[in-house]
Amino acid sequence: MTSSKIWLSSPHMGGNEQKFIKEAFEANWVAPLGPNVNGLENDLEKYLGSQVSVGALSSGTAAIHLGLILLGVKTGDEVLCQSMTFSASANPILYQGAIPVFIDSEKETWNLCPIALEEAIIDRIAKGKKPKIIIAVHLYGVPYKIDEVRVVADKYNIPILEDSAEALGSSYKGQRCGTFGDIGVLSFNGNKIITTSGGGAIVTKTKSLKDKAVFYATQSRDNAPHYQHSEIGYNYRMSNICAGIGRGQMEVLDDHVGLRRKMHNFYVDLFKTIHGVTVFSVPNNDYFANYWLSAITIDSQLTNGIDREILRLAFENANIETRPLWKPMHLQPVFEKYPYYGNNVAETLFEKGLCLPSGSNLTANERERIAEVVRTIFV
Ligand SMILES: *Cc1c(COP(=O)(O)O)cnc(C)c1O
């Protein structure tokens, strides 16, 4: 293979990351606390608005786990979770010994279906147990149906854990994603819109809840000169080095959002004359997506039999990475024994959908290589 690999989504440094890391080394703040951690938390609080508090953690998964703990999820509790998502949305339910109840997506945002959600709540209550919380996800940076899901949650008085791991920079009616849930979650993994090489954050409505999250994240140390513990703790805090990368990345976050949205527009343009291929886009102007990943669905009955797999393999032969959409959790071997509510929306999306290279650092030449594959397949 002669041409270099085009990745789905790769890290994209802005330039000032090393400055913050250098400062940390010079001050010997090579530890899981320090000025970069506070600095990143302040940057995120300012960016998100809505007077939230932010705690920087070692991963988005850690943030989901602590979110469940802060919302009181315990052994045997039931947690309603969007089925179509990355497994990290659901794994912490099992860490807590709780029971996931998976919910289908709706077709417009590919996220939590408010109708299936309410059906599930009614049925779980009838079966004897009211669900403890709802985990809702903004897949690929497209906000879920914020208002509709909130109405259902409030009607039954069930808090929402908002998995905004893919949606930093997205918003709904002008309010930033990450601030809609009773608790919000961000991720700075290597493939996300900004990265700390690995990291995440928890977003809370009050400073005291953030402090509680940080307490759990630093081994639940009681206030004493010796090591004293009244609660089980975790080692989930972000390091000052990783936070330094994050501060540099915050300076370029809005640029990255703009560039990812440009990639989305590139695909809208590329596929506009190709019958049977739909580029995943927001339903209306209330929604603003960072388009972390651009995704398409292919209806092979309208494309002379060209399906998701044929296109994926054509890209693979050209050394271009693409990936099917998230395989729904209720179809995963590890989760298939748990209850599921809904129809086959998520399942059908999984069969027909493909994520395309979406990085903010893709070049014009790389875009041309992508376009060439599409032109060859859909002659
Ligand atoms: C990336 C991701 C996570 C997990 O974040 P990590 O920082 O990788 O632990 C959780 N949920 C979703 C939807 C994600 O895409």
Side-chain angles (χ1 to χ4, degrees):
M1 223 161 280
T2 49
S3 42
S4 60
K5 177 136 185 167
I6 299 177
W7 299 96
L8 196 63
S9 178
S10 69
H12 183 189
M13 292 299 112
N16 277 336
E17 292 83 1
Q18 294 197 37
K19 181 192 86 180
F20 291 109
I21 294 175
K22 192 157 171 274
E23 282 170 11
F25 270 79
E26 280 163 5
N28 203 27
W29 280 108
V30 186
L33 80 175
N36 282 337
V37 175
N38 298 333
L40 177 60
E41 289 174 348
N42 288 337
D43 289 348
L44 285 164
E45 284 167 4
K46 240 182 256 153
Y47 187 83
L48 293 173
S50 305
Q51 289 175 314
V52 291
S53 292
V54 174
L57 302 173
S58 55
S59 70
T61 311
I64 294 170
H65 189 193
L66 292 186
L68 294 176
I69 293 170
L70 290 172
L71 292 170
V73 174
K74 296 200 169 69
T75 308
D77 284 341
E78 292 190 353
V79 173
L80 302 162
C81 183
Q82 182 168 323
S83 184
M84 187 157 184
T85 185
F86 180 43
S87 64
S89 304
N91 284 333
I93 301 169
L94 277 293
Y95 302 169
Q96 281 306 95
I99 299 155
V101 174
F102 293 111
I103 312 288
D104 202 1
S105 294
E106 42 76 22
K107 288 178 187 163
E108 281 192 316
T109 75
W110 296 3
N111 294 311
L112 201 59
C113 171
I115 298 162
L117 177 68
E118 182 160 21
E119 279 168 13
I121 294 171
I122 292 169
D123 192 57
R124 298 323 289 175
I125 292 173
K127 288 192 161 74
K129 200 177 263 179
K130 182 175 151 184
K132 192 83 182 188
I133 71 160
I134 296 163
I135 300 178
V137 190
H138 309 292
L139 281 189
Y140 308 120
V142 171
Y144 62 78
K145 296 210 162 177
I146 308 269
D147 291 337
E148 289 88 336
V149 170
R150 178 50 77 183
V151 165
V152 175
D154 286 353
K155 182 168 168 189
Y156 298 94
N157 200 17
I158 303 175
I160 297 173
L161 181 62
E162 178 194 3
D163 182 345
S164 193
E166 301 179 2
L168 181 58
S170 299
S171 56
Y172 177 74
K173 293 182 178 171
Q175 185 181 334
R176 300 267 193 211
C177 287
T179 66
F180 291 102
D182 294 270
I183 286 181
V185 166
L186 304 173
S187 168
F188 313 116
N189 200 348
N191 59 355
K192 296 289 169 24
I193 192 144
I194 61 166
T195 183
T196 59
S197 79
I202 190 160
V203 183
T204 63
K205 303 277 184 218
T206 63
K207 171 80 165 57
S208 65
L209 207 54
K210 174 225 160 148
D211 291 343
K212 191 77 199 192
V214 170
F215 168 78
Y216 286 129
T218 50
Q219 308 288 21
S220 299
R221 283 181 64 188
D222 293 342
N223 197 2
H226 53 277
Y227 279 73
Q228 164 104 3
H229 308 277
S230 317
E231 289 185 83
I232 295 297
Y234 302 85
N235 185 2
Y236 280 172
R237 195 69 161 130
M238 183 183 281
S239 84
N240 197 48
I241 298 296
C242 291
I245 304 174
R247 287 179 82 183
Q249 290 272 281
M250 282 305 289
E251 294 179 356
V252 292
L253 171 56
D254 280 333
D255 289 344
H256 285 199
V257 172
L259 290 163
R260 298 240 175 197
R261 286 172 55 82
K262 253 187 160 159
M263 282 308 295
H264 174 262
N265 288 338
F266 161 74
Y267 288 117
V268 169
D269 201 47
L270 182 62
F271 287 106
K272 76 172 175 246
T273 55
I274 299 172
H275 196 49
V277 177
T278 310
V279 180
F280 180 40
S281 302
V282 295
N284 61 55
N285 285 338
D286 286 342
Y287 295 78
F288 179 87
N290 68 9
Y291 290 122
W292 167 58
L293 293 186
S294 288
I296 54 170
T297 50
I298 306 172
D299 185 345
S300 58
Q301 291 181 333
L302 302 173
T303 55
N304 294 323
I306 293 161
D307 62 10
R308 195 277 305 285
E309 219 27 37
I310 291 173
L311 185 60
R312 190 184 72 78
L313 291 170
F315 277 123
E316 193 172 279
N317 283 332
N319 209 15
I320 297 170
E321 183 184 38
T322 65
R323 189 158 303 145
L325 305 188
W326 299 122
K327 181 173 180 177
M329 292 303 112
H330 72 280
L331 303 176
Q332 298 283 358
V334 72
F335 290 123
E336 64 191 6
K337 64 175 177 282
Y338 295 107
Y340 170 72
Y341 291 83
N343 298 304
N344 59 356
V345 175
E347 201 171 332
T348 306
L349 286 168
F350 173 61
E351 279 162 19
K352 293 185 176 178
L354 190 66
C355 294
L356 302 172
S358 307
S360 45
N361 47 2
L362 291 177
T363 62
N365 178 42
E366 289 171 323
R367 275 192 290 276
E368 184 44 38
R369 279 175 55 198
I370 293 165
E372 188 53 35
V373 171
V374 171
R375 284 195 292 263
T376 314
I377 288 289
F378 298 97
V379 273

